[in-house]
Amino acid sequence: MLCLGIESTAHTFGVSLVDKGKIHSEERDSYTTESGGIIPRELAEHHTGVCVDLVEKAMVKKPDLVAFSQGPGIGHALRIGAVAARTVSLNCDVPLIGVNHCIAHLEIARRLTKLDDPIMLYVSGGNTQVIGFESGRYRVFGETLDIGVGNLLDAFGRSAGIGFPAGPEIERLARGGKYIEMPYSVKGMDVSFTGMLTKARALLKRHKLRDICFSLQETAFAMLVEVSERAVAHTGKEQLVLTGGVGANSRLQEMCRIMCEERGAEFGAVEKRYAVDNAAMIAHTGLVMYRSGCRTQNTAIKQRWRTDEVEVTWR
Ligand code: ATP
Ligand code: FE2
């Protein structure tokens, strides 16, 4: 069974054709700005501009099913993906299924790492969450109380005159840095990063950039590893998967790996291409859902669709 997936929750418009064992095509185009911010009207223009071409390129065969990211995300962006998906579904006379974007990140992570019941540390620009499957739903055990960890890096990077996105450059600068104490803010399984951002900005006047970058990474990542370990211990799952754009950071991967090794847990990181927003994860999840009997009655977009609102019938 071939499923065409369409992703359009935020900056990336993606289209991918998958079946059970293989990704047949995977196309994407991202809206970017110098500042890193998103102007919804420009975003909509970007997505409408690229969508027909991407669908044509990715649809290397006629699909049997169309999946689209129904939410959560930016309304302007979601609507364009939903219209494109509905059009393909009508043209090909095949069913349409709505997928929760965060759950798609989880499902592609399970598939690619082959860890079937992990705790997932999902760290991107906008999201920082520790998630696990429990009693028929994906539960958010912990999350950021303010900004995402990628947003911490990018916001600091902007103040320090580093381009956007700042994460990779901060990783490079941090090598060989010395530690300066930073606010370490963990509340149960939640984390908070704005205190650290304020401190890091203040340090710019008096300290070497590489020392600040090193200290930001060490502190923020130690917080993430602490809450992930707490979730692993609490649930007894003994598997950890790292995903999202910040998951590309080799120091964060190393710290997660060490924690897992020390407690005899398995660790897997999702390769960057599928850790960031992509349509293969939407197609894969749509397919898994459809095969388990899920059907979407209402195809209206859901801008605020929480991960734990979805009843997981396919596990
Ligand atoms: P989502 O919509 O899922 O929240 P997003 O829009 O934040 O995703 P991603 O591509 O998943 O987009 O993540 C982008 C973030 O990843 C940016 O904040 C960027 O600085 C960060 N990042 C990328 N590479 C690295 C790296 N090597 N180290 C640290 N951070 C990184
Ligand atoms: Fe995402």
Side-chain angles (χ1 to χ4, degrees):
M1 185 175 205
L2 283 166
C3 179
L4 187 84
I6 297 185
E7 158 59 28
S8 73
T9 50
H11 43 65
T12 300
F13 196 96
V15 190
S16 173
L17 189 72
V18 312
D19 65 19
K20 201 164 167 248
K22 192 172 164 208
I23 298 171
H24 293 268
S25 67
E26 208 277 308
E27 301 289 333
R28 64 180 85 181
D29 197 298
S30 296
Y31 161 85
T32 49
T33 55
E34 286 288 306
S35 66
I38 285 181
I39 301 160
R41 182 181 44 78
E42 283 184 9
L43 176 68
E45 275 166 22
H46 169 268
H47 286 2
T48 32
V50 299
C51 79
V52 174
D53 192 38
L54 293 179
V55 169
E56 278 174 356
K57 273 197 195 136
M59 218 160 75
V60 289
K61 289 181 197 162
K62 183 183 170 293
D64 305 298
L65 173 70
V66 178
F68 71 107
S69 46
Q70 198 170 3
I74 299 166
H76 280 66
L78 286 169
R79 258 173 232 117
I80 295 156
V83 169
R86 227 170 275 146
T87 310
V88 177
S89 140
L90 286 170
N91 272 345
C92 298
D93 194 22
V94 295
L96 184 62
I97 188 158
V99 171
N100 178 294
H101 173 91
C102 302
I103 287 186
H105 274 296
L106 304 174
E107 291 302 341
I108 196 81
R110 284 176 63 220
R111 152 98 188 266
L112 294 175
T113 61
K114 301 193 169 67
L115 297 178
D116 64 318
D117 189 22
I119 287 296
M120 206 174 77
L121 176 58
Y122 169 38
V123 280
S124 61
N127 289 294
T128 296
Q129 293 185 326
V130 179
I131 303 166
F133 182 73
E134 195 93 359
S135 313
R137 296 200 182 209
Y138 283 108
R139 311 282 168 180
V140 179
F141 291 117
E143 61 193 317
T144 178
L145 299 173
D146 41 50
I147 55 174
V149 64
N151 194 214
L152 162 74
L153 299 172
D154 295 334
F156 171 73
R158 198 181 304 176
S159 306
I162 301 170
F164 176 86
E169 183 61 9
I170 290 176
E171 174 169 18
R172 200 185 60 76
L173 287 164
R175 293 198 189 106
K178 282 201 287 293
Y179 192 72
I180 309 163
E181 193 153 329
M182 290 277 173
Y184 185 98
S185 183
V186 169
K187 293 162 189 170
M189 281 192 248
D190 292 332
V191 290
S192 147
F193 292 117
T194 44
M196 203 184 303
L197 177 58
T198 306
K199 169 94 188 244
R201 279 176 169 153
L203 289 174
L204 275 171
K205 291 192 202 87
R206 292 173 278 122
H207 289 269
K208 290 200 186 93
L209 186 55
R210 67 158 188 258
D211 293 344
I212 310 173
C213 290
F214 175 76
S215 310
L216 262 182
Q217 283 203 165
E218 292 302 302
T219 314
F221 297 169
M223 287 162 50
L224 295 171
V225 171
E226 180 188 330
V227 296
S228 303
E229 181 166 23
R230 195 161 290 137
V232 167
H234 170 75
T235 57
K237 287 193 189 289
E238 304 303 340
Q239 290 181 336
L240 179 69
V241 158
L242 177 62
T243 193
V246 184
N249 188 290
S250 47
R251 177 63 181 143
L252 177 57
Q253 291 184 7
E254 181 188 25
M255 287 166 79
C256 289
R257 190 172 292 117
I258 292 171
M259 180 274 278
C260 287
E261 274 168 15
E262 282 180 354
R263 53 179 306 124
E266 290 176 281
F267 173 66
V270 178
E271 86 177 86
K272 181 150 187 199
R273 186 169 178 79
Y274 297 111
V276 301
D277 289 356
N278 67 90
M281 69 182 194
I282 303 297
H284 167 67
T285 308
L287 196 58
V288 170
M289 289 170 67
Y290 192 82
R291 293 168 78 96
S292 83
C294 287
R295 300 291 181 266
T296 302
Q297 307 302 341
N298 179 357
T299 58
I301 58 154
K302 305 178 188 180
Q303 285 184 65
R304 295 177 208 287
W305 190 12
R306 283 188 58 88
T307 308
D308 50 15
E309 278 172 38
V310 178
E311 203 182 325
V312 179
T313 53
W314 57 93
R315 285 191 57 169

